């Protein structure tokens, strides 16, 4: 069974940095593109970033380019999202998902709140 | 960036009725469009990929169609567990984008 477990979400001040992680199991992680999607409270889904199986390609939505970095450790079956220069509008539930075309499997999310 | 619009924003129906949800893309995505269901407090679940292919374990009452810029998700006969928000998402271009969602609620 595919399992994706996100962690690292918390309350953080504007301008701060935070690293989210996603632990994967139940599938061959090193053969899978991986994606981060976020959802602001009461709002719709927003695709954030995606990384190729071997980490050689990354794609980002414009609003996070230069601030967020997606990375992976295939030896540890782990996906990360480094978030810098956080803004109030980054407040959201952050989901990791298996796949680069579609989110075939999803974790339950980790909540990031950017506020004073 | 490809913009997806969904209509209607809310669809009020009764169990057993047929639901027809629309998604329109700002430019052609061929058949590179999927649909998700999301219930309150839960992660999204992939229903349909590449316009018309049901994801693993998805009941046959869910079907998708369309190509180019116009797509439809049909639920042939609503079950109580189908009342939820539905999102379309394109994979035709980077960045991937989602539509704003259609809420299917109980009439």
């Amino acid at each position: 069974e595919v399992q994706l477990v996100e962690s690292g979400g918390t309350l953080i001040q504007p301008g701060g940095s935070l690293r989210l992680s996603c632990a994967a199991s139940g599938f061959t992680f090193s053969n899978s593109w991986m994606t981060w999607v976020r959802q602001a409270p009461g709002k719709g889904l927003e695709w954030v970033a995606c990384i190729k199986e071997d980490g050689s390609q990354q794609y980002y939505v414009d609003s996070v380019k230069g601030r967020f970095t997606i990375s992976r450790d295939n030896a540890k079956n782990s996906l990360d999202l480094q978030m810098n220069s956080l803004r109030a509008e980054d407040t959201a539930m952050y989901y990791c998902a298996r796949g680069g075309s579609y989110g075939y499997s999803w974790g339950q999310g980790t909540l990031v709140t950017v506020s004073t | 960036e490809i913009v997806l619009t969904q209509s209607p924003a809310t669809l009020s129906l009764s169990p057993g009725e047929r639901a027809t949800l629309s998604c329109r893309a700002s430019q052609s995505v061929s058949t590179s469009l999927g649909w998700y269901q999301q219930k309150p407090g839960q992660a999204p679940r992939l229903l349909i990929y590449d316009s018309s292919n049901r994801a693993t374990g998805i009941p046959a009452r869910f079907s998708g169609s369309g190509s180019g810029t116009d797509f439809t998700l049909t639920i042939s006969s609503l079950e109580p567990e189908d009342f939820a928000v539905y999102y379309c998402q394109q994979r035709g271009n980077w960045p991937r984008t989602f539509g704003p969602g259609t809420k299917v609620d109980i009439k």
Side-chain angles (χ1 to χ4, degrees):
Chain A
E1 179 192 3
V2 172
Q3 281 206 320
L4 297 166
V5 180
E6 302 92 338
S7 61
T10 190
L11 171 63
I12 190 161
Q13 293 191 341
S17 296
L18 196 60
R19 191 175 188 91
L20 305 183
S21 293
C22 173
S25 61
F27 65 102
T28 306
F29 182 77
S30 59
N31 289 350
S32 296
W33 283 71
M34 295 295 295
T35 294
W36 287 98
V37 174
R38 67 184 179 183
Q39 187 169 34
K43 303 298 184 182
L45 301 172
E46 181 181 34
W47 182 92
V48 174
C50 190
I51 187 167
K52 195 177 177 182
E53 297 99 324
D54 62 359
S56 62
Q57 294 178 34
Q58 305 92 33
Y59 298 90
Y60 300 91
V61 67
D62 282 352
S63 60
V64 308
K65 278 181 185 175
R67 300 189 300 123
F68 289 13
T69 302
I70 188 172
S71 62
R72 63 191 297 159
D73 184 338
N74 286 346
K76 296 182 178 179
N77 287 355
S78 180
L79 175 73
D80 286 347
L81 186 68
Q82 177 66 43
M83 304 187 296
N84 299 330
S85 304
L86 282 161
R87 306 166 179 166
E89 55 265 35
D90 296 318
T91 293
M93 183 72 77
Y94 285 74
Y95 296 100
C96 74
R98 178 176 67 93
S101 298
Y102 301 106
Y104 293 98
S105 307
W106 297 65
Q108 285 305 303
T110 188
L111 182 62
V112 174
T113 304
V114 184
S115 175
T116 56
Chain B
E1 173 177 312
I2 295 175
V3 176
L4 300 178
T5 55
Q6 291 186 242
S7 61
T10 303
L11 194 54
S12 297
L13 294 169
S14 300
E17 289 193 296
R18 182 183 189 89
T20 303
L21 288 67
S22 294
C23 178
R24 176 164 288 178
S26 60
Q27 62 189 78
S28 177
V29 297
S30 184
T31 56
S32 299
L33 187 114
W35 292 90
Y36 299 83
Q37 177 193 67
Q38 188 179 33
K39 298 178 183 179
Q42 296 185 17
R45 175 175 69 148
L46 181 67
L47 300 174
I48 301 287
Y49 65 93
D50 290 349
S51 179
S52 61
N53 299 285
R54 275 190 301 278
T56 302
I58 301 304
R61 64 180 181 274
F62 292 92
S63 63
S65 63
S67 65
T69 60
D70 291 299
F71 298 86
T72 300
L73 173 70
T74 301
I75 310 171
S76 59
S77 178
L78 282 164
E79 296 288 339
E81 62 268 28
D82 299 336
F83 292 92
V85 180
Y86 293 83
Y87 296 94
C88 57
Q89 178 238 311
Q90 63 82 20
R91 72 166 184 93
N93 213 338
W94 298 102
R96 310 309 194 202
T97 49
F98 289 92
T102 290
K103 183 178 183 180
V104 178
D105 65 15
I106 299 176
K107 187 173 181 180

